[in-house]
Every structure is written in C-alpha cells, then in structure tokens.
Amino acid sequence: MFLDRSHAGKLLAEELKLLQGPDTIVVAIPRGGLPVGAEIATALKAPLEIILSKKIGHPANKEYAIGAVSLSGLVLELQAAEIPKSYIEEETKRIRKVLQDRQEMYYHNQTPKPLTNKTVIVADDGIATGNTMLSTLELISRESPKKVVLAIPVAPESAIKKLKKSPYIHQIVCLKIPGLFNAVGAYYHHFDQVSDRQAIEILEAHRNR
C-alpha cells in the first residue's frame, strides 16, 4: 500500500535514479499523475511537464476508450473504424476545446518544453487497462523522444503485458503488479481527487525551484 501519490512518487524516484541527466524530462498525466511526477522530477532534478491528452469514449460506453486526442494529434484504435466519422470529428473538436482551456490554465503564457531527443519519463498514479495510456504514448512518440520510460506505482499484469508490446515504450517501471487487481485507489491509503488548482500549484512550485 502507498500512503498517497507523493509517497508512491518517492518510491518510483528511487528506481529511476540512473536516468538522472540533462536530457531527462518528467511528463505527468494530469491530474493524478502530477504529485507522482513532481516527486520524480525533484529527485532527478528534471523539468516537470504535463501531457494534455484525453480519451475518446465509445458512443455506447464513454468509459471505453477508442482513441485519444491531443491539441495537435489524434490516435484511434482499430475498433474506431466501426464508429461514425461525424461522432469522432465532433468529439475531437469538443475535447480539443477542453484541452485548450486546460493548457491556458496550467501554462498561462509559458510554452511546454519540447520532447525531441529527450529521455521522457511518463508518470501516472496507476493504470487499470492501459488502453488510454497506449494512445497517449503514441502521441508522445510523435515528438521523437530519444527514450520513453513509463513510471507507475501499480497496474494489473494484463495491462503490463499489453504495454510491453507497445513500440512506443522502451522501459516500464511499475512497483506493484497484483495478481488480483482492484481499482487503482485500492492501493493507496489516501487517494483524494487532485483538483486543477492543486495541479497548477504543483507545477508552479516545481518551476520556481
């Protein structure tokens, strides 16, 4: 069990010490991944950025991801071929508006650091199925990083197997791979939702160090 996300991040940082260097960037998945990523970035003396992407849910089940959208990219799973193009276009437009608002909220007038030729550590607070993460990692790969390392406190074995097959990940660091997986929050003593305000405070505090 992890005490909270910060505790999980500190434990992950111990496993990632050898990746410390001038070309390393930590990219957190907002919002829950920010406390995790902040601890890793602090320990490795690395910049902390976020990846602004959001899944496209299936029209019959919004929780089931058929792809992911970023401000500049779109990744679709094979099953999306069965979905009307009009639905995907409308969802992409709607999601990009949400992401644009979030980028302005998180970055103000600052520009995210480029990931080209960098060692990118992608941090989140846990993974359930891995589908959305796969799409997110494909979006990251389009920026041509040198190496992509996925750092997560907990994920089921099925998700890890799926992620290991991805051509977009060079290394996975996962602290707990339970045989019988419950929800991600079941492996934390404290797993309160991270608000936008808290996420922004974490980013700004790290930038001011």
Side-chain angles (χ1 to χ4, degrees):
M1 290 285 287
F2 305 107
L3 178 61
D4 54 20
R5 292 178 177 88
S6 293
H7 175 228
K10 288 174 182 175
L11 294 177
L12 279 168
E14 285 295 312
E15 301 295 321
L16 297 164
K17 286 189 292 187
L18 293 179
L19 294 176
Q20 184 174 340
D23 292 332
T24 296
I25 293 180
V26 178
V27 176
I29 308 290
R31 291 167 299 202
L34 267 163
V36 178
E39 294 293 348
I40 297 171
T42 298
L44 272 57
K45 297 179 174 60
L48 176 65
E49 298 290 334
I50 56 173
I51 174 70
L52 286 169
S53 67
K54 197 171 177 63
K55 72 180 177 185
I56 298 181
H58 192 284
N61 180 4
K62 296 293 186 179
E63 292 303 310
Y64 182 75
I66 59 168
V69 177
S70 71
L71 287 171
S72 59
L74 169 65
V75 175
L76 295 173
E77 304 296 332
L78 290 176
Q79 62 267 34
E82 305 169 1
I83 309 300
K85 287 185 178 179
S86 59
Y87 171 81
I88 292 173
E89 289 171 358
E90 289 170 7
E91 281 295 282
T92 299
K93 184 178 180 180
R94 181 187 66 80
I95 291 168
R96 283 199 172 133
K97 176 63 170 66
V98 172
L99 295 178
Q100 185 65 52
D101 291 346
R102 187 165 286 178
Q103 174 157 303
E104 291 174 6
M105 187 189 310
Y106 280 34
Y107 279 101
H108 304 299
N109 296 322
Q110 298 187 49
T111 303
K113 289 180 171 58
L115 305 181
T116 305
N117 294 324
K118 300 294 184 180
T119 295
V120 179
I121 300 174
V122 182
D124 204 355
D125 55 12
I127 288 175
T129 66
N131 291 340
T132 305
M133 180 59 78
L134 281 172
S135 298
T136 298
L137 291 165
E138 184 173 346
L139 290 169
I140 288 173
S141 75
R142 295 180 182 182
E143 294 194 45
S144 301
K146 179 172 62 178
K147 182 177 184 178
V148 176
V149 179
L150 178 60
I152 43 174
V154 61
E157 188 175 356
S158 58
I160 296 296
K161 286 181 178 178
K162 186 188 302 181
L163 289 161
K164 281 183 175 179
K165 294 177 183 177
S166 170
Y168 309 113
I169 309 174
H170 299 90
Q171 182 182 350
I172 298 174
V173 178
C174 183
L175 301 177
K176 292 184 183 294
I177 308 176
L180 294 174
F181 182 81
N182 297 312
V184 169
Y187 300 91
Y188 288 83
H189 286 292
H190 302 287
F191 197 69
D192 296 335
Q193 187 177 28
V194 178
S195 68
D196 279 321
R197 181 176 178 179
Q198 288 172 310
I200 292 166
E201 287 175 352
I202 291 169
L203 272 174
E204 291 182 347
H206 191 82
R207 288 177 188 141
N208 291 333
R209 287 180 178 173

